[in-house]
């Protein structure tokens, strides 16, 4: 359970579950989760990590679910991006309303175990979307106003 930047930084790299209830005091622009090699579940609450412009969830072999609450990740810099890739056990990704709304790129790739992607309303408003090597995907639900000004979309290798 994480409530602030200090608790985030003290997390042991072997944790299997992370729940963030508050972490808006973290001024870092990069949030890289690759150090958590045993992570199975990630839950980030509402209004968290609003200074982060790059979030990387990659090379996590045991990660099964990612859930992000509303109004998190509000950075709108030109290089802002969410990358979720090479997490073979990931089954579900859920993003709450108005999270990542100013991010410019969303890339989901190399996750053939991913079954479900749910993106809430008004997320990734002007964002490029890249979906690659997601052969197990059964559903992608995108809320109202999300990707409404996307200029570039790539969808490759989604079906077995």
């Amino acid at each position: 359970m994480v409530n602030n930047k200090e608790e985030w930084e003290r997390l042991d790299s072997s944790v299997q579950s992370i729940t963030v209830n508050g972490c808006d005091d973290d001024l870092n622009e990069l949030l890289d989760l690759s150090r958590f090699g045993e992570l199975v579940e990630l839950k980030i609450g509402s209004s968290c990590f609003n200074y982060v412009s790059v979030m990387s969830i990659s090379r996590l072999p045991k990660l099964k679910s990612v859930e992000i609450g509303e109004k998190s990740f509000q950075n709108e810099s030109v290089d802002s991006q969410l990358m979720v890739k090479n997490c073979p056990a990931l089954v579900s990704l859920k993003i709450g309303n108005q999270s990542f709304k100013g991010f410019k790129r969303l890339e989901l790739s190399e996750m053939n175990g991913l079954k479900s992607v749910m993106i809430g309303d008004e997320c990734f408003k002007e964002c490029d979307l890249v979906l690659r090597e997601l052969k197990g995907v059964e559903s992608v639900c995108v809320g109202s106003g999300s990707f409404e000004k996307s200029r570039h979309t790539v969808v490759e290798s989604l079906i077995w």
Side-chain angles (χ1 to χ4, degrees):
M1 191 78 70
V2 176
N3 294 298
N4 57 47
K5 179 182 178 179
E6 286 179 10
E7 291 176 4
W8 177 261
E9 290 175 350
R10 284 197 313 257
L11 280 175
D12 188 280
S13 63
S14 66
V15 298
Q16 294 183 350
S17 178
I18 297 175
T19 300
V20 179
N21 290 325
C23 201
D24 200 31
D25 58 340
D26 189 342
L27 301 179
N28 291 324
E29 291 186 21
L30 172 63
L31 183 61
D32 183 354
L33 299 176
S34 61
R35 75 179 175 111
F36 300 109
E38 300 297 313
L39 191 62
V40 174
E41 176 184 63
L42 174 65
K43 289 184 180 180
I44 296 176
S46 298
S47 301
C48 294
F49 296 111
N50 286 322
Y51 294 98
V52 170
S53 62
V54 176
M55 182 177 186
S56 176
I57 303 172
S58 63
R59 296 179 314 277
L60 298 174
K62 298 179 181 180
L63 184 64
K64 290 184 179 177
S65 69
V66 174
E67 184 174 337
I68 297 170
E70 297 183 352
K71 298 180 182 177
S72 289
F73 300 92
Q74 298 295 300
N75 192 312
E76 296 185 17
S77 67
V78 295
D79 62 346
S80 55
Q81 59 183 321
L82 169 59
M83 296 173 296
V84 185
K85 50 195 204 177
N86 198 6
C87 298
L90 188 63
V91 174
S92 70
L93 172 65
K94 183 177 180 182
I95 297 173
N97 297 338
Q98 298 180 15
S99 286
F100 302 98
K101 68 181 179 182
F103 272 44
K104 304 303 184 231
R105 180 178 174 91
L106 169 61
E107 180 176 347
L108 306 178
S109 62
E110 301 173 53
M111 297 182 297
N112 290 330
L114 187 62
K115 301 281 185 222
S116 149
V117 178
M118 295 179 58
I119 298 173
D121 297 338
E122 297 181 35
C123 300
F124 304 103
K125 307 257 308 162
E126 296 181 37
C127 184
D128 294 340
L129 174 62
V130 177
L131 304 175
R132 281 193 178 110
E133 302 293 328
L134 306 175
K135 294 178 180 173
V137 166
E138 295 172 357
S139 68
V140 176
C141 297
V142 177
S144 164
S146 295
F147 301 101
E148 69 179 7
K149 294 182 182 177
S150 178
R151 294 178 298 150
H152 183 76
T153 300
V154 175
V155 178
E156 294 177 352
S157 301
L158 294 185
I159 301 172
W160 279 107

